Amino acid sequence: MSVNHVLPFLSTLIMLVFTVSVLRRYIVRRQAHFLFWGIGLAMFGAGSFAEAYLALAWNKWIFFAWYLFGAALNAAWLGHGTLYLLVRRKWVNVVTGILIVGSLFAGYLMLQAMPKLDEAVFTIDKIVSEQYGTKVLEEGESAPAGALTITTTYRGEEVTAVRGLLPLGTPVRLTTPFFNIYGLITLVGGAIYSAFLFWRKRVMPNRVIANVLIAAGALLIGFASTLTRLGYGEYLYVGELFSAILMYAGFQLAAKPQPHEMIESVPAPASAD
């Protein structure tokens, strides 16, 4: 068993502990941002587990979970939790409705794509993020060694493409950038903004460092995903693992009580009378 078989399981374990911690806080405090963070983290964990499974064997419903929760939705739900934390406006509830409807629609499109999966191209010799999408070869571009190709008509032109699990023009693939861009802006932008506010006010230095860690973790997974699209997929699982560690460390540091909070939590001594 290679390192790439082990790393996604480690990421899944970290995200499981992380998710439970966040959802426990939601149960205690009933604050919406904890709920959205918890759902987003659960999606992240589901994606990591699906990657680990697909490194060993094929299952189309595991692939369904990997693409929908891992590749498409988790960043948006995590980022929306940060939006709820920072913005106390009624319009956020409208955005919540759009996110829920959009997520359900993405799920519907993914279900529509399931009968069209090109399962013959799947191999455990490559990570799933390197083989999920059919890619058109540009003029003069050669197919990677061992790749399966197909000649087909796409957007009115005859093209040669490297076959992937999802065929060309699969509608669900068009939704993914919207979720990921929204998640990147709200999660990373929100963390950086929070860190700046605490730094400017010279209060709660742990929150400054915590938000920097969260932003770094979110940026790291985005960077690793970009490298995968450029053909350097061997860094993806390491990136996901360190992303999970950084974000979890940031959350734990942010949740650490300050000295004045600890003093306030100590009950007053009983009177002597």
Side-chain angles (χ1 to χ4, degrees):
M1 181 177 288
S2 70
V3 173
N4 276 345
H5 292 108
V6 176
L7 293 181
F9 282 112
L10 293 178
S11 298
T12 302
L13 181 60
I14 293 171
M15 297 313 295
L16 176 61
V17 175
F18 196 174
T19 302
V20 171
S21 298
V22 171
L23 290 179
R24 285 178 62 186
R25 287 183 175 273
Y26 170 70
I27 292 171
V28 172
R29 301 187 182 184
R30 296 294 176 180
Q31 294 172 317
H33 59 277
F34 285 120
L35 176 61
F36 282 94
W37 282 342
I39 294 172
L41 291 169
M43 290 179 176
F44 191 130
S48 296
F49 174 78
E51 283 177 339
Y53 185 97
L54 292 170
L56 302 173
W58 169 252
N59 182 288
K60 67 178 184 179
W61 295 111
I62 297 293
F63 175 75
F64 174 92
W66 173 80
Y67 191 85
L68 185 64
F69 300 129
L73 298 182
N74 76 85
W77 283 74
L78 283 168
H80 194 66
T82 300
L83 186 69
Y84 252 116
L85 175 66
L86 296 177
V87 181
R88 312 289 183 176
R89 297 288 188 274
K90 290 183 178 179
W91 60 261
V92 176
N93 295 327
V94 176
V95 179
T96 300
I98 295 173
L99 176 63
I100 293 172
V101 171
S103 299
L104 292 173
F105 184 61
Y108 167 76
L109 292 178
M110 191 63 197
L111 287 172
Q112 294 292 101
M114 295 302 287
K116 303 174 185 177
L117 294 180
D118 189 357
E119 300 181 33
V121 305
F122 178 78
T123 174
I124 60 172
D125 295 330
K126 294 197 301 183
I127 62 176
V128 66
S129 55
E130 289 185 333
Q131 54 183 317
Y132 75 90
T134 301
K135 178 188 175 185
V136 174
L137 292 174
E138 303 296 335
E139 187 175 349
E141 184 181 3
S142 301
L148 300 175
T149 61
I150 186 174
T151 300
T152 185
T153 301
Y154 181 59
R155 296 178 178 174
E157 297 182 5
E158 187 175 274
V159 298
T160 300
V162 176
R163 289 165 57 186
L165 292 162
L166 291 170
L168 284 175
T170 305
V172 69
R173 294 185 65 186
L174 301 177
T175 68
T176 305
F178 294 100
F179 290 113
N180 287 331
I181 290 171
Y182 174 70
L184 180 68
I185 292 172
T186 50
L187 181 58
V188 177
I192 293 174
Y193 177 69
S194 296
F196 171 74
L197 287 181
F198 288 120
W199 173 81
R200 188 180 66 179
K201 295 178 180 179
R202 300 293 191 272
V203 296
M204 298 185 180
N206 66 311
R207 300 281 173 89
V208 176
I209 300 172
N211 279 288
V212 170
L213 290 175
I214 291 170
L219 285 172
L220 180 59
I221 186 58
F223 181 64
S225 298
T226 300
L227 286 178
T228 299
R229 292 186 179 92
L230 295 175
Y232 301 96
E234 64 269 22
Y235 300 109
L236 179 64
Y237 294 161
V238 175
E240 287 181 341
L241 178 60
F242 278 95
S243 173
I245 292 171
L246 287 172
M247 289 195 292
Y248 183 51
F251 174 79
Q252 290 294 94
L253 187 58
K256 185 178 180 181
Q258 296 297 291
H260 71 275
E261 294 173 330
M262 296 176 67
I263 293 172
E264 290 173 359
S265 66
V266 176
S271 68
D273 13 72

